[in-house]
Amino acid sequence: MNQVVRPPKKPRTAPTDPSPLLRPSPLRPACKAKDRLLLWAPIKPHSTSDSRTTLSQSDIQHIYDVITHTWADSTKETYGSGLLAFHVFCDNRKIPESECAPAIPSIISAFISTLAGSYSGSAVSNYINGVRAWHTVHGLDWALNNTETDALLKAASSLAPPQSKRPPREPYTVDLLVSIRSHLDLSSPLHAATFACLTSAFYATTRVGKLTVKTLLSFDPLSHIKPSDIRMERDHQGNAITNIHLPKTKSAPNGEDINWARQNGPSDPQAALENHQRVNCPPSNGPLFAYRNSKTHKPLTKNKFLSVLASALKAAGRPPLQGHGIRIGSTLEYLLRNVPFDVVKVKGRWASDAFLVYLRRHAQILAPYMQAQPSLHKSFLRLTLSPAR
């Protein structure tokens, strides 16, 4: 029999790094994306009328170092990607550095127009915010035609490719939590940690990313929750409340609290947490949702958390859901329990405007569930519909 000779497999290559498209410049040293706001320097660091030009270099550097703490590392990474895209755009068009910073309004408009149709509207907006943040860090004027810029950003959202638009996220419900539980083995360390994390996120109306870690090595006791951050309190009616202190978040650098109360039924977060602590005994100053793995503990990453839920949902005959659907479902659950909108807003730790934006963004998902309660649906529509002009 003749042996079939197959061509050798092509070696896998990493995604193309766009940085080689940049002209070499001492103003743009190689660094991590989150460090570009600070380390990439404009050709003219300050306007000549700025009083800071009389300060020493160490004083100016200190301003730079402090102001970059305005943004979380994840935001700086996104902004750094936008800054890279902006400089690639300028280099490709041979735009001189003096017109990039401070940016000429027509160049920003051209940059948005180039991105439109290839990126989601939110990505384009984040990239522009990144260029603006870079100006802020280095004391540069940011003077755009806001009317034109807003119109272009709105157009970029309309022109976004279909694959960049996320489908509406189905909400998690209490019944779904119970179904997931029935397809988990709560004596398993991983499953015990996952279900405790799920119920805590749901009943605390918080993002999963605040309860998990990004990677196995990214746990930071100054930023992530630990068993020592849990305390029991009582509300004005004397009901027991479990309070979890988040040491640091994007919106609250000094930390904030999330909480939930014991619930009736199999989705009770208190029972889930007690089971997790009994099965896993997480170290007091380690990740709260760490699970036993051989003789050590592993922190629960967001990807591992979602993969366990996806397997349980598949076993239940349900399609996998997005992690963000947990917060949507929690908001829906409390509203359907006739908890006032203002109370849900406070529980979710939203600023007033942010809460309204959240409701409008998810109106397509939340509204059908509220239609059976006319008074609730009326209030929801009043909050989510744009005001008459």
Side-chain angles (χ1 to χ4, degrees), residues 96-287:
E97 293 281 354
S98 59
E99 295 183 13
C100 298
I104 295 176
S106 60
I107 291 177
I108 296 296
S109 294
F111 179 49
I112 297 173
S113 300
T114 300
L115 297 175
S118 299
Y119 294 82
S120 69
S122 61
V124 176
S125 181
N126 280 331
Y127 278 13
I128 298 304
N129 287 336
V131 180
R132 181 177 184 174
W134 182 58
H135 279 60
T136 299
V137 168
H138 295 280
L140 299 172
D141 292 333
W142 180 256
L144 297 187
N145 181 334
N146 290 330
T147 301
E148 180 177 284
T149 302
D150 291 346
L152 285 169
L153 289 174
K154 184 175 181 180
S157 294
S158 300
L159 295 171
Q163 63 271 23
S164 73
K165 299 178 180 179
R166 296 176 179 176
R169 299 173 177 88
E170 289 297 319
Y172 280 70
T173 62
V174 172
D175 287 344
L176 186 59
L177 264 59
V178 173
S179 178
I180 289 172
R181 184 184 188 278
S182 68
H183 290 89
L184 295 176
D185 176 7
L186 295 188
S187 65
S188 157
L190 175 58
H191 287 189
T194 298
F195 191 65
C197 182
L198 171 62
T199 53
S200 288
F202 183 86
Y203 286 109
T205 319
T206 195
R207 294 185 178 92
V208 172
K210 292 185 177 181
L211 305 184
T212 58
V213 295
K214 193 172 183 179
T215 69
L216 291 174
L217 301 178
S218 62
F219 171 73
D220 177 3
L222 299 179
S223 300
H224 297 108
I225 56 171
K226 307 170 291 297
S228 57
D229 292 319
I230 299 177
R231 65 181 186 273
M232 300 299 296
E233 298 180 346
R234 293 196 175 271
D235 63 14
H236 296 300
Q237 286 75 41
N239 299 312
I241 301 293
T242 297
N243 196 83
I244 302 176
H245 180 69
L246 305 175
K248 182 180 179 181
T249 68
K250 274 187 181 182
S251 57
N254 295 322
E256 62 183 350
D257 293 342
I258 60 173
N259 51 68
W260 40 254
R262 186 183 288 276
Q263 304 290 315
N264 295 323
S267 70
D268 176 29
Q270 184 64 39
L273 181 61
E274 290 173 354
N275 177 71
H276 161 62
Q277 291 172 322
R278 182 169 56 253
V279 171
N280 288 305
C281 296
S284 62
N285 287 313

Side-chain angles (χ1 to χ4, degrees), residues 360-374:
R360 288 169 184 152
R361 183 178 299 160
H362 301 297
Q364 182 179 351
I365 296 171
L366 298 174
Y369 292 88
M370 299 185 183
Q371 290 172 356
Q373 299 189 35

